[in-house]
Amino acid sequence: MDLATAAQNGVSVSWRPSVEFPGNLYKGEGIVNGTPEQVWDCVKPLAGTLRAQWDENVNSFEIIESLTDTLLFSRTTTPSAVMKLISPRDFVDLILVRTYEDGTISSNAANVEHPSCPPNPGYVRGFNHPCGCFCEPLPGEPNKTSLVTFFQTDLSGYLPQSVVDSFFPRSMAGFYANLEKAVKKFFG
């Protein structure tokens, strides 16, 4: 198994080939200053939440259909990236949100097709293979959260694999740094 790891500012990003598609499964791990609820409020992938206000890789979230209060269809749009080598994308996912007895909060998602959300002009339809994030309480550290993220995203389009391979680890490390700033800004 090929496995690569990068570390930056206390954030570890590792990756290996995905079994879901011809790309990589990326795992990010880091400690964020903030309670699990505060961190969750900043990362939850739902319409009208804080995420689109601070995450440079998200333009918007739209709830297409709610099946329950924890299971929904969502559309996410992203801006262009890497000096516009990566054009804007949209993703349609089924998202399950769970809260566990130990206080862990997770979102788990996978791409789906939904009749109310055909591809949009101006966006390349990307595909999130099973992915998610886990906001876990740190024992003895009530104001810190262990955040573990998993991504295996097929950006689609005609991107050289080298562009994708260089984008994701750097983007994930930046996500953690920006999240730390967002928690401080919104919850001080």
Side-chain angles (χ1 to χ4, degrees):
M1 168 189 358
D2 293 311
L3 180 67
T5 303
Q8 179 181 341
N9 297 328
V11 175
S12 170
V13 178
S14 56
W15 59 95
R16 66 173 176 78
S18 171
V19 297
E20 300 285 332
F21 78 111
N24 289 318
L25 165 63
Y26 294 90
K27 177 183 179 184
E29 298 177 274
I31 305 300
V32 179
N33 289 310
T35 67
E37 294 79 13
Q38 292 169 337
V39 173
W40 174 248
D41 280 346
C42 288
V43 300
K44 60 184 164 186
L46 304 174
T49 61
L50 299 173
R51 178 99 174 253
Q53 294 180 40
W54 66 268
D55 188 343
E56 62 191 25
N57 291 313
V58 172
N59 274 346
S60 68
F61 290 108
E62 169 189 354
I63 295 175
I64 301 167
E65 178 183 357
S66 292
L67 301 174
T68 69
D69 60 343
T70 61
L71 185 64
L72 55 103
F73 293 98
S74 169
R75 176 176 181 255
T76 306
T77 61
T78 65
S80 61
V82 190
M83 298 181 293
K84 299 194 179 188
L85 288 174
I86 300 174
S87 57
R89 299 297 199 256
D90 75 341
F91 300 87
V92 177
D93 298 306
L94 178 63
I95 299 175
L96 172 65
V97 176
R98 300 231 15 222
T99 302
Y100 300 86
E101 288 181 17
D102 70 351
T104 297
I105 307 166
S106 73
S107 69
N108 312 278
N111 75 78
V112 293
E113 291 185 19
H114 194 282
S116 298
C117 197
N120 275 348
Y123 292 92
V124 174
R125 177 62 48 95
F127 301 96
N128 286 318
H129 296 277
C131 59
C133 75
F134 297 84
C135 297
E136 302 171 320
L138 277 180
E141 299 273 0
N143 293 315
K144 291 190 177 184
T145 301
S146 171
L147 179 66
V148 180
T149 56
F150 293 93
F151 294 99
Q152 46 185 349
T153 300
D154 180 353
L155 292 175
S156 298
Y158 299 102
L159 292 171
Q161 193 61 41
S162 61
V163 170
V164 175
D165 292 344
S166 68
F167 171 73
F168 271 106
R170 189 172 61 250
S171 173
M172 288 178 72
F175 171 86
Y176 279 82
N178 291 335
L179 172 59
E180 184 81 37
K181 292 175 192 169
V183 172
K184 186 175 183 178
K185 173 184 174 183
F186 296 118
F187 300 102

